[in-house]
Amino acid sequence: MRVGLRVNGTFHEVDVEPRALLVHVLRGLGYRSVRVGCDTATCGACTVLIDGRPAKSCNLLAVQVDGAEIVTAEHADGLLERLRKSFNAHHAAQCGYCTSGMLMAAYALLSRRERPSEDEVREHMAGVLCRCTGYQNIVRAVVEA
Amino acid sequence: MFPPELDYVRARSLDEAIGVLASREDAVPIAGGQSLVPLLKLRAVSPGLLVDIRGLKGLGGVDVGGPIRIGALATHGDIEGHAELRARCPVMAEAASKIADVQVRSFGTVGGSLAHADPLADWPPVLMALDAEVHVHGPSGSRAIPMGDFVRGPYTTALERGELVTGIVVRDCPRGAAYLKYAYRHGDFAVVAVAAALRADGGHVSEARLAAIGVADRPLRLGQAEARLAGVPVSEDAFADAAEAAARSVSPPDDHRASSGYRRALLATLVKRALRAAAGR
Amino acid sequence: MRLVGRPIPRVEDARILRGRATYLDDIEPPGTLHAGFVRSPYPHARVLRVDMSDALSDPRVIAGYTSLPGPPMAPGGKVRFQGEAVAMLVAVDRYALADALERVVVDYEPLPHVVDPAKALEEGAPLLHEENGSNVAHTARYGSPDAAGAAAPRVLEGELRVQRVVPAAMEPRGVVAAYDGHTLTVWSSTQVPYDVRKEVAGALGLPLSRVRAVQPDVGGAFGSKLIVYPEEVWVAAAAYLLGRPVKWVATRSEDFRATTHGRDMGLAFRVGFDGSGRVRSLWGRITCDVGAYHWGEGLSDIAARMLTGPYDIREAGVEVVDVYTNKTPLGAYRGAGRPEATFFVERIMDMVADELGLDPVEVRRANLVRGLPYTNPFGMTYDTGDYTGTLEAALSRLGYYELLRWADEEWARGRLVGVGLSIYVEVTTFGFETAIVRAEPDGSFTVVTGTTPHGQGVATGIAQIVADELEVPLESVRVVWGDTALVQDGIGTMGSRSITAGGSAALLAARRLREGLKAAAEQLLGSPVQYSGGRFWGPNGEAQIGDVVRAIYRGRASGPLEAYEVYNARSTYPFGVHVAVVEVDPETGHVRPVLYRSYDDAGEIVNPLLAEGQIHGGVLQGVGQALYEEAVYDGEGNLITANLALYGVPTFAEAPRYEVRFAERPHRSEHPTGTKGVGEIGAIAATPAVVRAVEHAVRRVRPGARATSTPLTPEKVWMMLRP
């Protein structure tokens, strides 16, 4: 099936099997920041923004989001740059495998809420798992981004 | 992690969707897909055809003008974030906010959750306590099913072949309602959860509805506990009494997540706390 | 200004934060085929027949194997754990592969199985390895054989257990291999590229020089990627035989069964002590459930040899029994033996204190090792430190007694909170490590480290060390690793050794290069020179270090352009005190970790920002061990917590607040860096601290309550709270 996706502002039209997961299609298009860490929609490493909302791209078929506007961690804009600086300053990434998902979850939160509290950050981002950092530095990075 | 081969069609109208679903035995509807896609990835189900209803007009939205009407395609996130609904029926926003995580709530729909009927899904106990109706549409027209009659067992509902959930209607949402979910980790399915709706008149309970998950193979209305509350003064003693009755009335499952006895104890605690929270609103 | 000791943000972050890091699954040479495995649903079975004909009839399927160069598949015609590989298919893409794997028909003859190590030791238990004659994989004895019967005024006996957990690095394992007619390149999500190269070359009969192993960015490991797994060799072999690139990436559910699990040790103990809490004797028997194969050699031996912890217990003896069961093989997991030893001895200290009605700190203080170096009864020599002094400093820095008072006040207000303290000494660092420091024509320096970091920030730490030694800015030093084309040999990142062994190697290489460049500068300038801040100078003039390097590159001076250093590092021993605070819901048994404070003497701290990050992450793994995580096998031998939805990796919501401190005047190790290692401290110290915190809370309600096994699930805590 033909599917059209606008990813970080670039329009792609791709031929996909109906069963293809969005995460695989995005990775196939070269958006490798979108990562697979589980098979149960638990870990959130594949989190992207779809039409402004955070979603797990492993838990959607690409055909379901035909025509969607998608943002991945490769994107460059002011908010993401702020988050990147803050993640670096607060040592919020270790192995980095979850980091794209963390950035996207944080991006979604800060897009609709300027100054979230620590509790809001924890609640909003709990759908992304990290095994390295113990989370605190990520929380700080988002609160102080 | 790799779904099986399947065909896919995007329905252009409700009738088209119902027509396809009624005519093809291997056809399955998909809305947000947040319950279905995981099953596809584990190859636990293998439908020949997915009928995508997410784009259908008129099946989404939240309307609080008269009775509360929530379209089947409203996502948990839509419900959680709906300011008027939160004001009018806070327990629904509360329940929505306890489902999985933000990402899943972006796409998961209330209609999809009901139709999937996972025994630990969060909506059924809440909607049972609110005495909601599930509106469905199928080859033989529309009908409304009381929430209490909708779930028939694990992953089994009153839906007939070709029928789709179109929405839910809550005619009457008491302010005094609460949903308490006990899970081991954030975002996990509940071990036990309890929804309570409580109305009082002159300090006495005039109406109490209680429902729970995690204590049977399906959501349960806690009739015996409700009966203990009928007409009694609103008090901690009454809540404790109802909690005890609730615990006595169930035979919870025993599995590696929790023993039967522990689930029973959790039920009593959550009934008490849910009533307390409901009474405090 | 010296860079070592400063909280410098990581130099590794740039590509990670732009989504440009390259993990294994991001590597896909043109024409890559995809491999997958048919895995046993049974915990123990004879494999009678594998029929791949239906799968192979699919034109998208390229090959199928039931044996390949390397370890045998289903050795001896048997599978011994659920998830063990029986056959491998290679297909054109992963969806086709998944379809084809379902079409392989395997006839199994299920055999009686055993998942309980105690039952596995019984007469008549099903044998995993018949030729072994029993399910005993390994035994050892350490210390005094008389400890078991030693006389003491008071004696306490008991059993403790640390559950089996799943390391669950966020990136599952995977491997890609491509053969170009001369060189077989193997990319693997591994901690040990050197071992991967050796194993692959050995299996295929290739000289080492024709195999290149590359460790790309690795999404976490925690010890679970420090052996060479059969899949790595098989995939490489298939790529070599087919002449086409082949890739395998485990799905998460597959990884849960096919990657080593951790911990899983029990201790039966007998401790003798006097009325003041001084421990006179300790005897223990460690039973370690190693699963189906003995891939995790030495784990129980480390636990045994660290069993007396930081306490001076003269009369001590330990027996070790490693037992085969029909489970995923056990392997290293962050701490590898020390978390178990620390849990055991800290539980024993708390129990002795409770028996005597003494302050648990009092009992610990009475037993702490005084005077270092100290050789424990099992031959481990703790190198440097001042344990009693550090304890006193820690108690005040951590506010331990203030927290206890606060807990009393909270209880008076009806809130049940608990405070737990643990003390540890642990062993880090072993073996040789390699470093090459190379001068580049642009005046910068490249460090090739033999370590294999995968998130720790080792590149930043080594860059700080080398920049200090060369007196150049941090930006002038680039650290690379993880490729046998860059460095021929090394050990890797494990055992908290990277900064100590790898950093010391890099420091010494830099020092040697600097001396060589100085000699070249003297040639150039025609006089003896001095060096500082990147500049050589003498009576005849001066030269920037980059000018000297360029002169060597162009043959205008002779001198070294690089230095290759191999450093042999003896073990060193960090020590510290940690405090956990939890809140317990008395009705549900739910435990909420609230606060976690640590005070560690881990030698020099090269980068406090990164060291704190190591403590945070390790602590949360220790919290997970204490409260949430367990690899549960049912009676049928099924792993029932077999994915991230069913297995309790803590989320943002479960994590406590961490307050990390390091000793103000640390005790250096003997190594040039003076460091001792911080990578595993959190995972070692946190579990006993959290368990005591829960017990402390519960004992307010049930004074005799005792926690003897992890995880302390809400139901277990609820049971402890019941009358």
Side-chain angles (χ1 to χ4, degrees), chain C residues 396-584:
Chain C
S396 100
R397 303 291 190 282
L398 300 174
Y400 173 66
Y401 287 103
E402 289 81 353
L403 286 171
L404 285 179
R405 274 197 296 280
W406 167 80
D408 290 343
E409 290 160 18
E410 289 299 307
W411 177 236
R413 284 194 278 269
R415 183 174 171 223
L416 188 54
V417 293
V419 180
L421 173 141
S422 74
I423 306 184
Y424 73 89
V425 61
E426 64 125 340
V427 52
T428 80
T429 312
F430 63 91
F432 75 96
E433 200 46 272
T434 310
I436 304 168
V437 178
R438 186 170 64 237
E440 302 289 351
D442 65 357
S444 71
F445 295 87
T446 300
V447 182
V448 185
T449 173
T451 64
T452 54
H454 40 280
Q456 296 83 352
V458 171
T460 301
I462 289 181
Q464 289 173 255
I465 291 166
V466 169
D468 275 355
E469 187 62 28
L470 295 174
E471 301 186 41
V472 297
L474 188 70
E475 299 72 44
S476 296
V477 180
R478 175 169 164 260
V479 179
V480 297
W481 68 90
D483 186 341
T484 62
L486 291 173
V487 58
Q488 292 302 308
D489 211 355
I491 290 180
T493 292
M494 61 190 77
S496 303
R497 66 191 294 281
S498 294
I499 287 292
T500 304
S504 292
L507 187 153
L508 295 175
R511 187 170 293 169
R512 200 139 55 75
L513 180 61
R514 176 178 147 167
E515 288 311 308
L517 293 175
K518 188 177 176 202
E522 287 175 346
Q523 282 175 37
L524 271 181
L525 294 172
S527 74
V529 296
Q530 286 183 293
Y531 178 74
S532 76
R535 195 173 61 102
F536 294 102
W537 78 90
N540 303 335
E542 62 172 68
Q544 296 294 321
I545 192 167
D547 297 333
V548 176
V549 169
R550 270 185 293 278
I552 299 171
Y553 267 103
R554 292 297 168 85
R556 287 186 277 111
S558 65
L561 288 169
E562 65 174 44
Y564 189 117
E565 184 75 31
V566 179
Y567 180 73
N568 275 293
R570 280 193 300 196
S571 291
T572 177
Y573 293 74
F575 170 89
V577 184
H578 288 211
V579 171
V581 180
V582 302
E583 176 168 8
V584 176

Side-chain angles (χ1 to χ4, degrees), chain C residues 371-401:
Chain C
L372 287 139
Y374 168 87
T375 300
N376 85 5
F378 317 116
M380 308 290 274
T381 300
Y382 307 164
D383 54 345
T384 59
D386 168 14
Y387 295 175
T388 50
T390 303
L391 171 62
E392 301 315 322
L395 290 171
S396 100
R397 303 291 190 282
L398 300 174
Y400 173 66
Y401 287 103

Side-chain angles (χ1 to χ4, degrees), chain B residues 1-5 42-43 182-186 188 256-262 265-266 269-270 272-273 276, chain C residues 60 94-95 98-99 102 251 253 585 587-588 590 628 632 640-641 644-645 647-651 653-654 714-715 718:
Chain B
M1 189 59 201
F2 305 94
E5 278 191 78
L42 297 172
R43 298 196 173 205
Y182 183 68
Y184 292 143
R185 278 182 312 166
H186 184 283
D188 276 351
H256 88 276
R257 292 185 79 213
S259 70
S260 182
Y262 181 51
L266 284 176
T269 295
L270 293 176
K272 199 173 58 185
R273 291 181 182 179
R276 200 181 286 153
Chain C
R60 301 171 303 168
R94 284 190 240 189
Y95 285 80
D99 297 343
E102 289 188 324
T251 66
S253 300
D585 180 334
E587 289 183 309
T588 64
H590 189 75
Y628 303 107
V632 180
I640 50 177
T641 51
L644 283 176
Y647 182 84
V649 170
T651 78
E654 285 76 49
E715 179 162 0
W718 174 76

Side-chain angles (χ1 to χ4, degrees), chain C residues 122-198:
Chain C
E122 285 170 8
E123 197 76 27
L127 291 184
L128 276 84
H129 304 272
E130 289 83 354
E131 71 285 0
N132 191 49
S134 79
N135 289 319
V136 174
H138 162 75
T139 60
R141 282 166 180 276
Y142 299 98
S144 161
D146 303 328
R154 302 280 297 264
V155 167
L156 183 66
E157 295 180 14
E159 291 188 12
L160 299 166
R161 170 138 212 98
V162 180
Q163 83 277 28
R164 173 175 282 246
V165 293
V166 180
M170 292 319 300
E171 182 200 28
R173 285 196 299 118
V175 57
V176 178
Y179 181 57
D180 68 4
H182 177 273
T183 301
L184 177 61
T185 303
V186 185
W187 294 264
S188 182
S189 180
T190 182
Q191 297 170 253
V192 288
Y194 317 99
D195 294 344
V196 169
R197 177 160 80 152
K198 281 169 216 153

